[in-house]
């Protein structure tokens, strides 16, 4: 058994020695642009899994969208992705940045959604309050009070000239 496991280890060790790394592509996507592309791809995959029909209705092809937006083609993306994947530390840094951006976007969108929910809740509350019978009565009472106050002010105003003459 030890001999078999030793042989297996030797074969694996020798077999893995000749792994050749891909040369750096001439049209390598720069690191920062790659972060942008991978972030966008992640967002599009999320959108596709959330509502694929909506993307189809709008005529959005996620792959073509990425290629046009970043002025790249599929072969360039594959070659660049392969190159960065073979350089593990760089690839890990790229994906760490992608993850940070996605988390930041999530916080931003959650904040926007919370604001929108609060706005909708306050509008519902206003609508509900305006439909309560006691609020209508309060509005009428306020209107009557304003009307009474305005009549009182009228009494304090000087009489028109034509009426002054008739009083004397």
């Amino acid at each position: 058994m030890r001999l078999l496991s030793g042989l297996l280890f030797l074969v694996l060790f020798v077999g893995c020695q000749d792994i050749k790394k891909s040369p750096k592509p001439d049209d390598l996507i720069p690191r920062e642009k790659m972060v942008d592309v991978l972030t966008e791809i992640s967002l599009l995959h999320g959108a596709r899994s959330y509502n694929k029909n909506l993307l189809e209705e709008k005529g959005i092809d996620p792959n073509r969208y990425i290629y046009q937006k970043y002025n790249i083609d599929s072969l360039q993306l594959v070659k660049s992705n392969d190159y960065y994947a073979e350089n593990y530390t760089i690839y890990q840094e790229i994906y760490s940045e992608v993850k940070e951006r996605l988390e930041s976007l999530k916080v931003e969108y959650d904040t926007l959604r919370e604001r929108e929910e609060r706005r909708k809740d306050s509008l519902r509350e206003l609508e509900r309050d305006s439909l309560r019978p006691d609020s209508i009565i309060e509005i009428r009472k306020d209107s009557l009070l304003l009307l009474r106050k305005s009549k009182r002010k009228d009494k304090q105003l000087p009489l028109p000239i034509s009426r002054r003459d008739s009083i004397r």
Side-chain angles (χ1 to χ4, degrees), residues 59-69 72:
I60 298 173
D61 176 16
N63 293 327
R64 188 175 53 203
Y65 171 79
I66 293 289
Y67 303 145
Q68 288 175 349
K69 181 174 181 178
I72 59 175

Side-chain angles (χ1 to χ4, degrees), residues 20-164:
K20 295 178 184 176
K21 290 190 174 187
S22 301
K24 184 176 180 178
D26 295 332
D27 57 352
L28 179 70
I29 298 172
R31 187 178 183 282
E32 278 305 309
K33 189 174 184 179
M34 191 69 174
V35 170
D36 294 339
V37 169
L38 292 174
T39 302
E40 195 87 30
I41 287 173
S42 296
L43 290 172
L44 285 170
H45 279 281
R48 188 183 319 165
S49 66
Y50 179 72
N51 196 345
K52 183 179 179 181
N53 293 334
L54 184 62
L55 287 175
E56 290 173 358
E57 286 174 14
K58 300 288 182 183
I60 298 173
D61 176 16
N63 293 327
R64 188 175 53 203
Y65 171 79
I66 293 289
Y67 303 145
Q68 288 175 349
K69 181 174 181 178
Y70 293 101
N71 197 25
I72 59 175
D73 59 38
S74 60
L75 185 60
Q76 182 182 10
L77 179 59
V78 169
K79 284 181 178 180
S80 296
N81 193 52
D82 288 347
Y83 174 77
Y84 286 123
E86 288 177 358
N87 297 294
Y88 179 74
T89 54
I90 296 172
Y91 205 54
Q92 187 177 16
E93 291 170 1
I94 289 172
Y95 267 94
S96 291
E97 285 185 48
V98 169
K99 183 180 175 186
E100 287 173 15
R101 284 188 185 180
L102 291 172
E103 288 171 351
S104 161
L105 286 170
K106 182 185 180 309
V107 168
E108 184 179 333
Y109 290 135
D110 285 347
T111 302
L112 288 172
R113 187 178 62 236
E114 286 174 14
R115 283 185 195 159
E116 184 65 20
E117 284 299 317
R118 282 196 305 256
R119 187 185 68 79
K120 285 180 182 177
D121 288 345
S122 65
L123 288 174
R124 277 189 228 115
E125 179 100 11
L126 282 172
E127 186 177 300
R128 188 176 46 238
D129 285 350
S130 68
L131 295 177
R132 281 191 0 231
D134 59 332
S135 67
I136 295 172
I137 292 169
E138 288 174 18
I139 292 171
R140 287 184 182 161
K141 284 180 182 177
D142 289 346
S143 301
L144 286 174
L145 286 174
L146 286 174
L147 184 63
R148 286 181 188 158
K149 285 181 183 178
S150 68
K151 284 184 178 179
R152 242 184 271 142
K153 286 180 183 177
D154 287 343
K155 289 181 181 178
Q156 295 172 358
L157 291 175
L159 292 172
I161 295 177
S162 61
R163 293 202 61 206
R164 277 191 225 161

